[in-house]
Amino acid sequence: MAATKTSLEKLSKTDTIHLRKRHVGQACKLFYKHDPLKIVRAERQYMYDENDVQYLDCINNVAHVGHCHPEVVRAACDQLSILNTNNRFLHDNLVICARKLTSILPEPLSVCFLVNSGSEANDLALRLARIHTKHHDVITVDHAYHGHLTSLIDISPYKFNLPGGTGKPSWVHVAPCPDTYRGKYRASDYPPGTDLGAKYADDVRLLIKKAVDSNRTISAFFAESLMSCGGQVILPPNYLRNVYRYVREAGGVCIADEVQVGFGRVGKHWWAFQLQGDDVIPDIVTVGKPMGNGHPVAAVITTRSIANSFQQTGVEYFNTYGGNPVSCAVANAVMDVLEKEHLRDHATQVGNHFFNSLCQLQAKHPLIGDVRGVGLFIGIELVRDREKKIPATEEAEHVVARMREEHILISSDGPDRNVLKLKPPMVFTEQNADLTIKVLDQVLNEIAYLDFNHESSEKRSKADTERPEELSSQIIKT
């Protein structure tokens, strides 16, 4: 029987798959590649396929205030019907956007550059840091991902350590991931109250010393304020406070990548770096994804002195679409909705409920080794053995597939792909959380009766515990 198409499709699903395989680069990854979803519409925290089947979206931190929020859609349509041009002309939307952004960031972060994507923002941040410091090298964090441009792959161990990756450039210095569950310094190995943030920060200090002793210069410490692709890692207290001090003492600047976690996802603050303390302020902040609720808009916010260094080169900065009236109208609407609908408070309330419910599930299922998160940024690390912390990679893959069958969309990540990631739209409700918990409980119950091939997981765990510390950044991701 021939495949049919619905009123919201131009092509049948079969034809869409055929044309994608024929004309779209196969390096472009699909969710559920063996049976990909065809999503034709979305609203709030729900997505719908071509058969109008509803899926609960626990993945899309991009649709920050909810898919197709009417105020955001209206702002885009209204402005697009009047004018869309580049930022070499004066326009109110751009300056209002810059004012809004700087108003929700601490001093002295007061100057904005509007761009199109998080990758573009991070590339510009790297350029700003090098021009201002007149230094070159960068300190990054193991398992970090900062974007798809060549300059950013170079500082993203998540990518350059892949089997087909280019490897670490000589000017990049990789600090251990500050993961207190399965990282170099584990909370389970130290007395309660041990300052693990300071211990991880001291490794950065040693990296800097080694670089300086080799006549290298540090331009920047580049880190996500919460590590997303690295496995939903929450930075331990005092980590950034100490690292920022060491980096500045070496003449570098501190860059906070908020592309995935900014704009109130953590609930109690606008920005995840603020979780480390009011006195912890980066020199450059990059934002993207949630800023446009799906529309391509992003920004770099920095200090007046760094912006002045950039200006004094005499090389103008121009971006054809960065800061255009439509993009700025969308960003302004997103920030307005966040405030009017009190979505930061909502993220705190729902996030706490979700987190506490997951902790109860952890007590029931030994497969759940760790639950961590803040606001609507949550990770569930699955392990085969809680004491040895052997990653349950195959089980995580199974959970993701089974949750999709139950119409709940989640993903997995981390160096061993064993961390379930939950970053839903900010309108996600307690009822949504309860449903996710109920279905996850059922799926984890099923796993007890399944047989998995654990040889690869055991090899990874052995390599993780036996590798020399200095080679930690060279581990190949699988």
Side-chain angles (χ1 to χ4, degrees), residues 227-242:
M227 294 193 64
S228 183
C229 293
Q232 302 293 92
V233 175
I234 309 299
L235 305 186
N238 292 320
Y239 178 67
L240 290 183
R241 176 178 288 107
N242 287 296

Side-chain angles (χ1 to χ4, degrees), residues 181-467:
Y181 178 68
R182 278 185 63 224
K184 180 178 179 181
Y185 306 115
R186 303 177 177 186
S188 58
D189 294 336
Y190 293 88
T194 302
D195 192 344
L196 297 182
K199 291 185 71 66
Y200 275 110
D202 199 52
D203 281 351
V204 177
R205 181 185 65 80
L206 294 174
L207 269 181
I208 293 172
K209 183 179 185 303
K210 183 178 179 180
V212 171
D213 288 347
S214 300
N215 297 316
R216 312 287 307 196
T217 58
I218 303 299
S219 69
F221 171 76
F222 213 128
E224 298 167 273
S225 302
L226 296 174
M227 294 193 64
S228 183
C229 293
Q232 302 293 92
V233 175
I234 309 299
L235 305 186
N238 292 320
Y239 178 67
L240 290 183
R241 176 178 288 107
N242 287 296
V243 168
Y244 282 9
R245 176 163 57 88
Y246 300 146
V247 171
R248 286 165 176 157
E249 287 172 352
V253 297
C254 305
I255 302 172
D257 180 344
E258 293 269 343
V259 169
Q260 298 210 49
V261 296
F263 290 97
R265 175 155 294 277
V266 299
K268 62 184 71 174
H269 300 290
W270 278 104
W271 313 105
F273 69 79
Q274 293 173 312
L275 294 167
Q276 294 271 304
D278 293 340
D279 59 324
V280 178
I281 302 173
D283 303 294
I284 302 173
V285 175
T286 60
V287 299
K289 296 184 188 296
M291 183 176 176
N293 213 53
H295 182 89
V297 59
V300 178
I301 309 96
T302 189
T303 66
R304 179 71 57 185
S305 62
I306 292 175
N308 286 344
S309 294
F310 192 37
Q311 180 187 5
Q312 288 164 10
T313 64
V315 179
E316 70 164 323
Y317 180 75
F318 175 64
N319 184 312
T320 303
Y321 299 111
N324 72 75
V326 173
S327 294
C328 290
V330 169
N332 292 341
V334 169
M335 288 184 277
D336 286 344
V337 168
L338 282 165
E339 292 185 305
K340 285 194 297 185
E341 298 186 6
H342 306 289
L343 290 180
R344 282 174 49 210
D345 292 338
H346 181 78
T348 298
Q349 177 183 334
V350 176
N352 287 342
H353 175 78
F354 206 179
F355 182 86
N356 291 334
S357 298
L358 285 167
C359 288
Q360 294 175 23
L361 205 62
Q362 180 184 16
K364 178 179 178 182
H365 295 284
L367 191 64
I368 299 178
D370 191 39
V371 176
R372 50 185 177 260
V374 57
L376 287 174
F377 178 92
I378 296 174
I380 308 163
E381 181 144 3
L382 302 187
V383 295
R384 289 185 51 233
D385 184 305
R386 284 187 176 178
E387 183 177 345
K388 296 179 181 178
K389 298 181 171 63
I390 298 170
T393 302
E394 290 78 11
E395 289 87 339
E397 181 181 359
H398 177 80
V399 169
V400 170
R402 279 289 294 119
M403 295 291 282
R404 175 263 175 94
E405 290 175 356
E406 300 298 331
H407 304 151
I408 297 175
L409 306 181
I410 66 172
S411 62
S412 63
D413 222 323
D416 292 296
R417 302 285 179 181
N418 68 315
V419 180
L420 306 179
K421 294 171 63 174
L422 301 170
K423 296 185 297 182
M426 295 276 278
V427 291
F428 196 81
T429 66
E430 289 189 8
Q431 290 73 29
N432 296 147
D434 290 341
L435 175 62
T436 304
I437 293 290
K438 178 182 177 182
V439 176
L440 180 57
D441 184 26
Q442 295 171 353
V443 171
L444 293 175
N445 281 331
E446 295 171 4
I447 284 181
Y449 300 97
L450 299 176
D451 183 29
F452 290 91
N453 176 14
H454 292 123
E455 183 180 357
S456 59
S457 292
E458 290 170 353
K459 287 180 179 178
R460 275 194 300 272
S461 180
K462 185 177 181 181
D464 187 61
T465 56
E466 292 183 356
R467 71 185 187 271

